[in-house]
Amino acid sequence: MTTASNIDALRDLLPDRVRPIEEYAIDGALPALAVRPSNREEAARVIAAADDAGLVVVPQGARTQLGLGRPLARYDVALDTTALTRLVHYEPNDLTITVEAGMTLAELQQTLAANGQYLPADPPPSDAVTIGGLLATARPGAWRHHMPGQRDLVLGVTAVQPDGTLTHSGGRVVKNVSGYDLHRMHTGALGAFGVIVEATFKLAPAPTATRTLGV
C-alpha cells in the first residue's frame, strides 16, 4: 500500500533527482513520485527502496509506447531513464557498441554515422525511442521485412532486478557462446524481468544511399 511516509523516504533517497509528477501521467493516472536517476547505481537504489516499501515502479524513457501492456492497476513511482545516456564502450572495428538505456536511437545513430555504421533498427514511431524502450517494446517498424528484430541485434544487457541487484547477460563480442541468451528474454518483455539500464549491440555498415519509392 502506498503511504506518505514510504514516498517521503524514497524522495529523500535522491532529492536532486525528483521530477514533477505532472510530466508522467499514464492513461490519466499520476504517480506519487517521479525520479530521474543519473546512473545505473542510482536506478538500482530507487528500485530496491521502492521494492522494500511495497511500491510499484513504472520504468519509462521517451514515453513513445505507453499504450502497450495491460492497464496499470497501481502507479506509485515513475522511473525516468532518460538521464542514462552514457556511451560505455565502442569498437568500430568489431562493429559493437555498449550504451546506457536512456540514450535515444537517434543519438546512437548519429554517433555511429561518424564511422559509416548504424544500428539496423526501425521502431515506430521514430528514432526518438530510447535504447531501453527499443528493447523493452521490441516493436517492428515499416522496414520489418528488411531489418532484423531487436532480439537479433542485442549482444548483452545489464538490468536491475526488483531487489536492486544488477544482472548481466551476454557480452561485447558477436561470437559469444557462453551461457544462456538471457538478454534476449528482455526484448519485448516491457520490463517484466528487470529494468534495462545498459545494452550492447552488433552493428552494420551504413548503406551508401537509400531511396523511398511511392506508388
Side-chain angles (χ1 to χ4, degrees):
M1 179 180 295
T2 305
T3 65
S5 60
N6 287 339
I7 293 298
D8 289 341
L10 192 56
R11 180 182 290 109
D12 292 341
L13 188 65
L14 294 173
D16 295 337
R17 299 300 174 189
V18 173
R19 302 286 299 165
I21 61 173
E22 292 77 15
E23 299 177 7
Y24 297 92
I26 298 179
D27 295 333
L30 290 174
L33 179 68
V35 185
R36 187 173 181 256
S38 62
N39 54 59
R40 63 185 188 179
E41 288 76 20
E42 287 185 355
R45 289 171 60 194
V46 170
I47 292 170
D51 185 59
D52 287 341
L55 302 175
V56 175
V57 177
V58 179
Q60 50 204 276
R63 295 169 56 85
T64 61
Q65 299 292 337
L66 294 180
L68 297 180
R70 297 174 58 184
L72 296 176
R74 281 179 58 189
Y75 185 17
D76 300 326
V77 181
L79 182 71
D80 184 341
T81 65
T82 57
L84 307 178
T85 59
R86 189 167 60 100
L87 194 163
V88 179
H89 189 77
Y90 181 25
E91 288 291 347
N93 292 334
D94 293 338
L95 290 172
T96 62
I97 193 168
T98 303
V99 297
E100 290 186 328
M103 179 182 289
T104 66
L105 180 58
E107 292 168 338
L108 175 61
Q109 302 289 37
Q110 184 176 12
T111 297
L112 298 175
N115 289 289
Q117 299 172 354
Y118 83 129
L119 182 68
D122 178 42
S126 70
D127 286 359
V129 64
T130 61
I131 295 303
L134 174 75
L135 293 177
T137 60
R139 292 195 67 192
W143 285 31
R144 69 187 66 188
H145 299 298
H146 171 70
M147 291 184 171
Q150 284 86 329
R151 70 184 305 273
D152 298 317
L153 295 172
V154 63
L155 298 174
V157 155
T158 299
V160 183
Q161 301 304 305
D163 64 354
T165 301
L166 286 162
T167 59
H168 311 269
S169 68
R172 292 178 177 172
V173 294
V174 174
K175 293 184 179 180
N176 186 1
V177 296
S178 61
Y180 296 102
D181 291 340
L182 295 180
H183 43 283
R184 294 189 175 187
M185 179 181 69
H186 289 281
T187 60
L190 299 178
F193 303 121
V195 178
I196 299 170
V197 291
E198 185 180 294
T200 299
F201 296 96
K202 58 182 177 182
L203 309 172
T208 56
T210 61
R211 296 287 187 271
T212 300
L213 303 179
V215 178

